[in-house]
Amino acid sequence: MKKQLRFNSNTIHGGQEPDKAYGAVMPPIYQTSTFAQSTPGGHKGFEYSRSGNPTRHALEKSLASIENGNYGLAFASGLAAMDAVIKLLSPGDEVISTNDLYGGSYRLFRKVFEPFGLHFHFVDMQDPSHIVAAISENTKLIWVETPTNPMMNVIDIRAVADLAKRNNILLAVDNTFATPYLQQPLDLGADIVMHSATKYLGGHSDVVAGALVVRDSDLADRLYFVQNASGGVCGPMDSFLVLRGIKTLHVRMQRHCENGAKIAAFLRDHPAIEKVYWPGFEDHPNHEVAKNQMNGFGGMISFVPKGATYEDAVKIVESLEVFTLAESLGGVESLAGHPASMTHASIPKEEREKSGVSDALVRLSVGIEDAEDLIEDLGQALSALN
Ligand SMILES: *Cc1c(COP(=O)(O)O)cnc(C)c1O
């Protein structure tokens, strides 16, 4: 397709064309490991499915398109995508990362890559001067997650990108929470966008997958080399599921945002609630940054009940009936979690509390059900506290 389409159309058509064999509108699931060759090296574009597969290729084109990038790479999980980025580095290199980030990302940095001689600095990036203070001649990568998980802080991507460019440092942004519907980090100056496609891109809690998108061809080549050499690729069936999910990303996100706003307002007015973390509130400390770089505020909300303990928070998430108590986020169904015992259990308590993840914090991934049902469910769970 030659015509430049708008975002919503791109989720459906971006980088896609009917399958060459029979004109199938959705790319078939090419569930094959290898491809016949007419003479050695004489193939039709694919030779072995770790190196490339037509279903994955269709997904990778879609990913590049919706993030306004030139190259997409699909991985077996979000962490496999991150793993490929970190493998661009060498022993002695330093990384500056958001301090309030996905627990599994923290574990990958500290437990897997530090023993190989890489150094990670975790800083509060709401104030970019904290990044400046952590830069050394060995700093090779800045890793940003925004909005942060689970505290919903917002980091100014453009400000960090300016800093990164001035110091010749790569900037990667984990765009899992916002999705390209709300925020396009490459347009704001990032070099790499990363996704856990398990979440909003897939959108139906039925697949684990990851993605990277870049503009620069040399960077794309280096990442493709790692993808093929290390092998953490997205399988054909999983590629199909993520691609199918992306085609409704815009309509799902619209409802996630509407429901998120209603539930954030309900919680803030509830007498049993101490604090609600959601970047759409005008008194959110980073609301102006969020308004500038995002097209909406999403359906991820965290809150702390008044005077609540670890046990109280557990009781609330156990009492919910429409919200499912589960890890993960970004699916059509609403989920609730207790970061201290679930997603962030791999972060030491002192580290966790430094970034605000207290024992009583509850995190919601607001789905696309009727908001009234979600509100009634939260109401009954909060009344279980007394
Ligand atoms: C889930 C998640 C990841 C890890 O992705 P997986 O697909 O589970 O490997 C990374 N970053 C964020 C923000 C996430 O929510």
Side-chain angles (χ1 to χ4, degrees):
M1 196 172 295
K2 293 277 181 326
K3 184 175 162 16
Q4 191 62 42
L5 297 175
R6 294 166 183 81
F7 180 82
N8 296 343
S9 307
N10 257 341
T11 64
I12 298 162
H13 299 293
Q16 306 302 301
E17 38 192 68
D19 187 64
K20 289 201 179 67
Y22 295 106
V25 168
M26 264 308 269
I29 303 163
Y30 281 95
Q31 195 69 48
T32 184
S33 59
T34 191
F35 300 81
Q37 307 190 4
S38 52
T39 78
H43 55 75
K44 297 175 175 168
F46 297 94
E47 47 191 332
Y48 185 64
S49 281
R50 171 163 35 71
S51 312
N53 173 283
T55 318
R56 191 177 96 215
H57 185 67
L59 170 61
E60 290 175 332
K61 301 272 280 189
S62 168
L63 291 165
S65 163
I66 60 175
E67 281 290 5
N68 279 341
N70 296 325
Y71 306 92
L73 299 113
F75 290 84
S77 69
L79 288 177
M82 292 182 69
D83 178 271
V85 175
I86 305 301
K87 283 176 178 159
L88 298 176
L89 307 178
S90 308
D93 287 350
E94 296 184 22
V95 179
I96 303 173
S97 163
T98 309
N99 62 343
D100 170 27
L101 85 166
Y102 179 69
S105 307
Y106 179 86
R107 182 178 56 197
L108 178 70
F109 292 164
R110 297 298 301 267
K111 300 283 171 66
V112 177
F113 282 111
E114 255 178 23
F116 285 102
L118 294 168
H119 303 289
F120 295 87
H121 304 274
F122 297 90
V123 308
D124 178 354
M125 295 187 174
Q126 289 171 85
D127 179 352
S129 75
H130 294 154
I131 301 175
V132 178
I135 291 177
S136 83
E137 60 188 10
N138 297 322
T139 308
K140 295 287 158 55
L141 175 70
I142 299 178
W143 188 272
V144 168
E145 190 180 315
T146 182
T148 67
N149 179 10
M151 298 311 297
M152 306 308 300
N153 297 318
V154 177
I155 295 160
D156 187 339
I157 296 173
R158 202 184 290 279
V160 179
D162 288 347
L163 256 175
K165 289 228 157 48
R166 245 181 287 135
N167 292 279
N168 208 16
I169 300 168
L170 273 181
L171 171 61
V173 175
D174 182 338
N175 205 28
T176 301
F177 266 40
T179 83
Y181 177 83
L182 295 180
Q183 159 178 296
Q184 291 171 307
L186 299 179
D187 285 351
L188 299 168
D191 301 294
I192 303 173
V193 175
M194 171 262 160
H195 277 278
S196 169
T198 313
K199 316 294 169 53
Y200 287 105
L201 296 188
H204 295 74
S205 306
D206 54 9
V207 64
V208 172
L212 299 175
V213 181
V214 302
R215 282 189 180 157
D216 180 72
S217 71
D218 176 56
L219 185 55
D221 287 348
R222 287 159 64 207
L223 288 167
Y224 174 73
F225 176 83
V226 178
Q227 184 193 36
N228 183 45
S230 286
V233 296
C234 191
M237 178 75 196
D238 292 349
S239 297
F240 174 87
L241 287 170
V242 174
L243 191 56
R244 182 160 90 155
I246 288 173
K247 286 171 191 280
T248 56
L249 177 68
H250 53 303
V251 280
R252 286 185 286 107
M253 286 308 293
Q254 187 180 350
R255 182 62 68 83
H256 283 297
C257 290
E258 288 166 14
N259 282 358
K262 287 181 189 164
I263 284 166
F266 165 77
L267 288 170
R268 185 152 76 166
D269 293 342
H270 197 285
I273 298 294
E274 173 80 39
K275 177 104 183 116
V276 183
Y277 301 91
W278 185 64
F281 289 140
E282 273 174 24
D283 60 358
H284 182 284
N286 320 119
H287 180 67
E288 282 307 310
V289 178
K291 251 183 21 191
N292 283 334
Q293 74 185 17
M294 300 174 74
N295 302 315
F297 306 106
M300 295 301 301
I301 301 169
S302 295
F303 67 90
V304 179
K306 263 187 198 137
T309 61
Y310 185 100
E311 290 71 26
D312 293 332
V314 169
K315 192 164 169 199
I316 290 172
V317 294
E318 285 177 353
S319 307
L320 289 164
E321 289 166 358
V322 182
F323 282 83
T324 302
L325 170 56
E327 304 267 1
S328 200
L329 61 108
V332 290
E333 61 290 286
S334 293
L335 302 181
H338 179 232
S341 62
M342 297 168 68
T343 45
H344 290 61
S346 56
I347 302 180
K349 187 173 158 81
E350 310 80 71
E351 284 288 322
R352 209 172 16 85
E353 289 185 339
K354 253 192 264 167
S355 51
V357 187
S358 69
D359 281 351
L361 190 81
V362 174
R363 189 190 79 181
L364 302 178
S365 168
V366 176
I368 62 172
E369 301 95 335
D370 284 307
E372 294 71 19
D373 286 324
L374 302 175
I375 285 171
E376 283 167 21
D377 193 32
L378 286 163
Q380 66 78 20
L382 287 169
S383 67
L385 266 190
N386 312 312

